[in-house]
Amino acid sequence: MSIRVLLVDDQALVRAGFRMILDAEEDIEVVGEASDGEQAVFSAQQFKPDVILMDVRMPNMDGIEATRKIVSADGANGAGGASSDDVDPALDRPRVLMLTTFELDEYVYESLRAGASGFLLKDVPADHLVAGIRVVAEGEALLAPSVTKRLISDFSAARAAKAKEENPPAGLNELTTREMEVFKLIARGMSNSEIAGELVVSETTVKTHVARILMKLGLRDRVQAVVLAYESGLVQPGAS
């Protein structure tokens, strides 16, 4: 089954370049294009893509607001065929992969809060773009290590400090000791296989823990788990 992709960028040349790259892949199909956030929301409903490549800065409606609408319950009527063991099927929506020009674009963090499943730089090599789409389509988070650590450190420290003065997020006290361990490792950007190696358990066991964590915390995917872990102060920016 091919991965259905929607391209969203206000520059036609950028969309054309991405389409050329993706059309060469047998397992990826570009089902549509949009030049701003408003068109993106409509196109997501019309084409039901698995993955949306979304620019951050666009006229009329930016990529952050478009992402928020698309991943919300009333923003889309479901995605295509891609799914994940880590995600409740009832919450299956198109997965948004944000595209940004700058490594420390302040809007990227807000994009993750809005529901994006990850981000890439626009000048990423073609093979990394293709790999990123496949990763996101499978339900994993795409948080480039070279960018994410600096991004979270810069934009989540203040929120984490404020969170300490408030009540912990609902659901955290329902996590078992093992689930809390897995939650912290997810927050540090580790994949299921890496977590399995760290805890010396099977990858299937890790998938089960991840699914339970997302369910207990009312989260859609791993990216939301990362954001919650830092904002709640459970994981400190810069911690090893």
Side-chain angles (χ1 to χ4, degrees):
M1 184 178 295
S2 62
I3 301 170
R4 297 167 58 82
V5 176
L6 173 67
L7 303 177
V8 183
D9 196 291
D10 60 340
Q11 298 184 46
L13 286 177
V14 172
R15 298 197 306 272
F18 286 147
R19 178 181 281 274
M20 182 176 65
I21 293 171
L22 300 181
D23 281 346
E25 303 298 322
E26 293 183 357
D27 62 334
I28 296 178
E29 176 189 6
V30 177
V31 296
E33 299 183 16
S35 60
D36 62 37
E38 291 181 353
Q39 290 183 17
V41 175
F42 175 79
S43 296
Q45 296 173 329
Q46 179 182 12
F47 297 114
K48 295 179 171 57
D50 299 310
V51 177
I52 301 175
L53 286 183
M54 180 82 74
D55 190 17
V56 174
R57 304 180 185 184
M58 295 180 292
N60 299 324
M61 180 188 294
D62 64 26
I64 298 173
E65 182 60 25
T67 296
R68 187 176 292 112
K69 289 180 177 295
I70 289 169
V71 303
S72 67
D74 59 351
N77 294 320
S83 63
S84 168
D85 293 336
D86 293 350
V87 181
D88 184 344
L91 298 178
D92 193 19
R93 298 285 189 275
R95 298 195 167 273
V96 179
L97 184 53
M98 304 300 299
L99 297 167
T100 180
T101 305
F102 308 103
E103 284 192 357
L104 291 182
D105 191 330
E106 64 184 272
Y107 298 110
V108 174
Y109 187 73
E110 293 306 320
S111 300
L112 299 182
R113 287 173 52 81
S117 293
F119 62 90
L120 287 173
L121 298 179
K122 280 190 176 182
D123 61 357
V124 67
D127 57 335
H128 289 190
L129 173 67
V130 172
I133 289 173
R134 290 175 179 144
V135 166
V136 169
E138 291 172 358
E140 294 283 352
L142 185 67
L143 301 172
S146 63
V147 180
T148 305
K149 185 175 181 179
R150 293 164 58 191
L151 180 76
I152 290 176
S153 294
D154 283 355
F155 296 107
S156 70
R159 290 188 176 92
K162 181 179 179 181
K164 288 183 178 180
E165 303 174 359
E166 302 172 351
N167 294 327
L172 273 182
N173 58 354
E174 297 181 14
L175 299 184
T176 66
T177 300
R178 177 61 87 182
E179 288 169 352
M180 185 63 76
E181 289 179 321
V182 173
F183 184 36
K184 291 179 179 179
L185 294 177
I186 291 173
R188 289 173 182 147
M190 297 179 71
S191 66
N192 285 347
S193 60
E194 290 171 335
I195 294 174
E198 177 75 15
L199 300 180
V200 195
V201 297
S202 70
E203 192 168 341
T204 299
T205 297
V206 174
K207 287 185 177 181
T208 299
H209 285 315
V210 172
R212 289 175 178 170
I213 290 167
L214 298 182
M215 179 185 66
K216 289 181 178 181
L217 297 178
L219 303 176
R220 181 181 54 259
D221 56 28
R222 302 168 77 97
V223 174
Q224 284 196 330
V226 172
V227 173
L228 176 62
Y230 278 91
E231 288 193 338
S232 66
L234 187 65
V235 176
Q236 297 299 318
S240 59

